Amino acid sequence: MRDPYTVLGVSRAASEKDIKSAYRKLAKKYHPDQNPDDPSAHNKFAEATHAYDLLSNTEKRAQFDRGEIDADGNPRFAGFGNGGFGGGGANRGARPGAGAGGFSAEDILKEFMSGFGGQPRGGGRTSSAGGAQWDPFAGATAGGAGAGARSGKGEDIVVNATISFEDAHKAASVPVRMPSGKVLSVKLPEKVEEGQQIRLKGQGSPSPYGGEPGDALVTVRFEKSKTFRRDGKDIRTDVPVTLYEAVLGAKVRVPTLDGSVELNLPPGVDTSKALRLKGKGLYGDGDLYVNVRVVLPPGGDPDLEALARFMRDQKPYSVRD
């Protein structure tokens, strides 16, 4: 750990009020609920909390100032005990992390955490040893003599994964980049939906107290497809055809989420209506609708123009009634 005075940005002569005020500002700025996708903010939050826990404790602050303990609260030399870690210090039995005024880091956080649900993130956990409670802000158990140190779990992180309709349809494995830069192969669940979260155990932020890392929560988003459009359970796609295919009929290949298939285009197809392929929608729950788009030859064609004039003058018909 860095020097706690440096972490909080206060001088060694800072009052208890100054230390409390400095911690409040840092805790608000770097709290995980304010920065769910920023692991560096989670680490700064944990570092500030640890620094405040040390400096708000009158006895520990004095020991640190005298050089008897380091920034982690560990003794700097062997034999240290009287009035210290092994002795009957004045604060024995006090709440871990609480200063002379009785304000722990958790107390400060509770003052402004009502907007996040009323409780600090990662609340106390019941220990298997005598029912003691782990204090995530002090990093140790509280509530009984002889309670041993416990390590807290790291913060969860939220990562967005943009996937294609094809990958979702096949429940494929997709690459997901973590904030650290690491790329993981994530197996999509069956019939995954927009906004659904996939939990990756142990892939979150490391614990500042040496415990298990948090989890990664992968939020699924569908990318905009150039080929398909979703319409509830159905999928829509456009297929370009030539003028003579639309007039005479043809067999054309059509893309589907399962690969391309051959579609029989009837002669004189009505391009104002979509052709339906039953059961070819997303996850097989809906249908695929094919919109036929007639594309004229590029650059124009004299023969086609002559035919068009003939039909206009000799065989006109209405399509906008």
Side-chain angles (χ1 to χ4, degrees), residues 86-137:
N91 287 337
R92 174 174 290 279
R95 180 176 178 173
F103 289 98
S104 71
E106 184 175 7
D107 294 326
I108 292 177
L109 290 174
K110 284 181 178 178
E111 291 181 18
F112 62 85
M113 280 301 292
S114 59
F116 300 142
Q119 291 296 330
R121 190 181 180 98
R125 303 164 185 260
T126 303
S127 168
S128 59
Q133 292 287 323
W134 172 69
D135 184 345
F137 302 95

Side-chain angles (χ1 to χ4, degrees), residues 187-299:
K187 180 71 166 64
L188 297 176
E190 297 288 336
K191 298 186 178 183
V192 66
E193 286 297 337
E194 180 91 11
Q196 184 174 339
Q197 286 190 328
I198 306 169
R199 182 178 292 273
L200 304 180
K201 187 172 178 59
Q203 297 296 335
S205 298
S207 169
Y209 305 110
E212 295 181 358
D215 301 334
L217 303 177
V218 180
T219 303
V220 174
R221 306 291 181 199
F222 286 117
E223 68 182 10
K224 186 175 182 179
S225 173
K226 295 181 179 180
T227 306
F228 302 107
R229 299 181 301 278
R230 188 176 183 183
D231 184 8
K233 295 181 179 180
D234 300 325
I235 292 291
R236 295 184 178 272
T237 190
D238 298 331
V239 174
V241 300
T242 64
L243 177 61
Y244 49 84
E245 285 175 326
V247 173
L248 303 176
K251 290 185 177 181
V252 296
R253 296 204 69 80
V254 174
T256 76
L257 296 176
D258 297 304
S260 61
V261 298
E262 201 168 64
L263 174 67
N264 286 320
L265 202 65
V269 62
D270 185 354
T271 58
S272 67
K273 298 180 180 179
L275 302 178
R276 185 178 70 159
L277 295 180
K278 191 174 182 180
K280 290 295 185 180
L282 187 62
Y283 310 131
D285 294 334
D287 303 326
L288 173 67
Y289 288 88
V290 180
N291 297 308
V292 178
R293 301 287 185 244
V294 176
V295 180
L296 298 179

